[in-house]
Every structure is written in structure tokens, then in C-alpha cells.
Amino acid sequence: MSQFALEVKALTKTIGKKTIVDDVSFQVERGEIFGLLGPNGAGKTTIIRMIVSLINRTGGTVLINGHDLDDSFTEAMNELGAIVENPEFYKYLSGYKNLKHYARMALSDISEERINEVTELVGLENAINDKVRTYSLGMRQRLGVAQAILHKPSILILDEPTNGLDPQGIREFRDYLRLLASQGTSVLVSSHLLSEMQLMCDRFAIIEKGKLIHISSMHDNETSEARKVKTIEVELSNPTLASKLLTEHMTDVKVTSSKGTRLTLSVRKEQIPMINKLFVENDIDVFEILNVKATLEDRFLEITNKDKKEQMV
């Protein structure tokens, strides 16, 4: 058994003289949700289509659970489940009959128990005997996941899986993916919804203009400099006086915004008690001090803007 559910090495795609994907390499560990981030046209979908063999690679290697797509295509594809774009079904058949039809086409035997198991996993047990044409978009997405994991793949690959879902559907879908990951199935997911990716993923890679420009853990989405400087939000009785005091006594503390009774400050951790003491000694009531965490959107913009500046130098 391979250490990784998916390994992508030097993946490249050129069309004519244009390079769509340029020497991209990454690995997806077992039981993790790995996100591909990037603006529209960055090459995310092209990468996914090459991994699932919907389009040919110009160069590079793809290994799925240790099986090389070039040398062991059947074995590799049997370790893979995927939803690229919207899942399609026979709408005049029930969800159960669609799964049964897919089970008959699988390389390995799929038992009735397995069909019932995945049906329950994605929360469709009460609707599995209804015709698919009666399903909502969210239900069809869940049926798609059931179909994709029916044969117990090592990795599930999803391209923009939450497109068109309402907030409730997105949350349910995210919960299903976390449950899958906890049971050992790896997930590679591409999306432009950064807030959802932050809640969903363990690690992420940023693709821009076909290149992989950054890869890190979702829990490490701050730069080393950002760890030294924190953003806090303070609610107090006299924000105008508070700003004046900071300007006079703590010149290295930056007031980044002021809204109503709240100030947003850029500070070092050790300065927070001194700031609180300064306010209290000057008869300013401090109602709340909150730590403002950097979002994935902040990190994404920081990285992509930095990459653009470096290219201009």
C-alpha cells in the first residue's frame, strides 16, 4: 500500500505553444481533504481532468494509491472516485436503481450491504427509492458522492462540488466529506469558495497561471511575520480618546480601522496587556478584546499579490 492516496509529479499540459499546466507536483495523504485553489482559468480543472484521464497529459506522472496511470491504468482507476462537473443519472430510475446499475459495471463485486451503507452515509435512505427526477440539486450531489465511493476508492476527486447548492446543502456536503475523510478516504477538491475551503480542507495548494505557487496546511495559513503581529478588535467606551492615547504612547501599534465603539489594532501579543492597562488608567471602559484570525481569503490574496509583485521585479 502506498504512503499517499495520490501523487502528482511534474504534471504538464500544453496546447500548441500555450502552457496550460506547468510542472505541477503535489501529494495527497491518506484520510485528508486537500484543496486546489486558484482564480478561474488558473488550470485547476485541467489538472483534475488529467488526473482522472478525461484528457491526455503532455508530461508528468500520476500515481493513485501507488498505481501508475501509465503502467497500471485499470488498477489505478479502480482506486479512484470522481465527480467532475454535475453528476449525471438516469432520471426516470430511482436513486437505488442508479446505484445498482453502476454497481454492475464496477470491476469488483459490490454487495447490497455496500449500497445500503453508502446510501446511509450520504443521508439518502429516506429518498433512495424515489425517482432521481424528483431530487433537489443537493440530493443529486449526494447521490453522486454515493456512486463515486461505492467501490471503496482510495481517493475521491471533486471539481467545484458545491456549485448551485444553498447554504444548508453546502454545509451538509462538507460534513459528508469530513466523515469520509475520518473513515480513511482521501479527498481532492477544487473550488473558488475560499470560506468553504477553509472549513473543509486540511491542506491546500494555490494554482495560478498553470503553476503551483504555494502549498501548506490550512492551520498554518499565516506567514512567520504574521505570527509575530496579531490583529485584535477592541470594544470600548471612548474609541476617539483610545486612538489618541495609542498615537501618543504606543507609536508602533497601528489602528487599522475604527467602526462605532470598536477599534481594530495591529499589535504584538505582549503589547495587549499594556494597551488594556493604558485604556483603563485613562478611564476608558474596555468591554471586549477579540483575536481576529487571518482568513484563507487573506492568505490567498497575500500569496497571489506577492507572486505578481515578484514577477514584475
Side-chain angles (χ1 to χ4, degrees):
M1 182 180 288
S2 171
Q3 178 183 353
F4 301 104
L6 173 69
E7 295 178 77
V8 173
K9 301 177 181 179
L11 199 62
T12 302
K13 179 66 176 179
T14 59
I15 299 177
K17 295 182 179 180
K18 186 174 182 180
T19 300
I20 310 298
V21 175
D22 188 1
D23 195 29
V24 169
S25 300
F26 61 86
Q27 298 160 327
V28 179
E29 298 174 2
R30 297 192 170 278
E32 80 166 339
I33 301 179
F34 187 94
L36 276 185
L37 310 180
N40 290 335
K44 305 187 301 297
T45 295
T46 302
I47 291 170
I48 284 178
R49 286 177 173 272
M50 285 191 284
I51 293 172
V52 302
S53 296
L54 286 176
I55 59 175
N56 294 326
R57 288 166 276 136
T58 302
T61 304
V62 176
L63 289 90
I64 304 173
N65 199 25
H67 299 292
D68 192 319
L69 271 180
D70 293 326
D71 300 330
S72 308
F73 180 80
T74 301
E75 292 85 350
M77 294 305 288
N78 197 44
E79 297 284 350
L80 173 69
I83 302 176
V84 181
E85 298 178 347
N86 292 324
E88 292 295 332
F89 301 101
Y90 296 106
K91 292 182 177 146
Y92 58 87
L93 295 179
S94 67
Y96 171 80
K97 288 185 177 178
N98 270 277
L99 292 181
K100 192 72 174 176
H101 177 68
Y102 179 76
R104 285 194 289 266
M105 296 188 294
L107 293 176
S108 55
D109 291 335
I110 295 174
S111 66
E112 195 76 21
E113 289 75 20
R114 177 59 181 169
I115 294 176
N116 293 333
E117 181 184 344
V118 298
T119 298
E120 185 175 345
L121 178 65
V122 300
L124 283 177
E125 59 269 33
N126 294 326
I128 197 64
N129 292 311
D130 297 339
K131 287 183 169 52
V132 171
R133 67 168 177 248
T134 67
Y135 282 15
S136 66
L137 178 58
M139 292 168 71
R140 290 199 298 274
Q141 288 287 65
R142 285 187 270 158
L143 186 62
V145 171
Q147 176 178 292
I149 64 172
L150 201 54
H151 60 294
K152 296 185 179 179
S154 297
I155 185 162
L156 176 64
I157 297 181
L158 307 167
D159 186 22
E160 300 285 357
T162 57
N163 271 358
L165 296 184
D166 60 23
Q168 179 67 24
I170 290 174
R171 179 169 183 172
E172 289 176 355
F173 195 83
R174 184 176 70 233
D175 291 343
Y176 297 137
L177 295 189
R178 294 279 1 150
L179 180 59
L180 279 176
S182 71
Q183 295 178 347
T185 301
S186 303
V187 181
L188 172 65
V189 57
S190 163
S191 178
H192 65 281
L193 298 176
L194 299 185
S195 59
E196 279 306 314
M197 293 291 267
Q198 183 165 11
L199 293 170
M200 186 186 301
C201 298
D202 301 301
R203 289 192 301 139
F204 67 96
I206 295 177
I207 309 294
E208 187 169 41
K209 295 180 180 178
K211 292 178 178 287
L212 192 156
I213 63 170
H214 180 82
I215 186 168
S216 72
S217 165
M218 193 62 72
H219 304 294
D220 187 30
N221 67 344
E222 299 177 350
T223 62
S224 58
E225 189 62 32
R227 291 191 196 101
K228 298 175 186 175
V229 178
K230 299 170 69 66
T231 299
I232 64 170
E233 187 177 84
V234 185
E235 184 180 5
L236 24 72
S237 60
N238 193 336
T240 303
L241 177 57
S243 294
K244 184 172 181 290
L245 289 169
L246 290 172
T247 302
E248 293 173 352
H249 298 281
M250 302 187 73
T251 55
D252 55 342
V253 172
K254 294 181 181 179
V255 179
T256 58
S257 77
S258 177
K259 294 181 181 178
T261 59
R262 291 181 178 270
L263 294 180
T264 303
L265 310 177
S266 181
V267 302
R268 296 192 307 276
K269 184 177 181 180
E270 62 270 18
Q271 291 176 312
I272 297 174
M274 292 185 284
I275 292 170
N276 187 53
K277 183 179 179 182
L278 177 65
F279 293 160
V280 172
E281 287 179 345
N282 286 273
D283 297 322
I284 298 174
D285 295 326
V286 179
F287 302 117
E288 190 173 41
I289 298 177
L290 295 174
N291 180 39
V292 180
K293 292 184 179 180
T295 66
L296 180 57
E297 182 179 14
D298 296 331
R299 186 67 176 124
F300 177 82
L301 292 173
E302 177 189 346
I303 293 166
T304 52
N305 288 336
K306 179 182 176 182
D307 186 62
K308 288 173 185 174
K309 288 177 183 178
E310 290 174 348
Q311 290 176 7
M312 292 173 67
V313 175

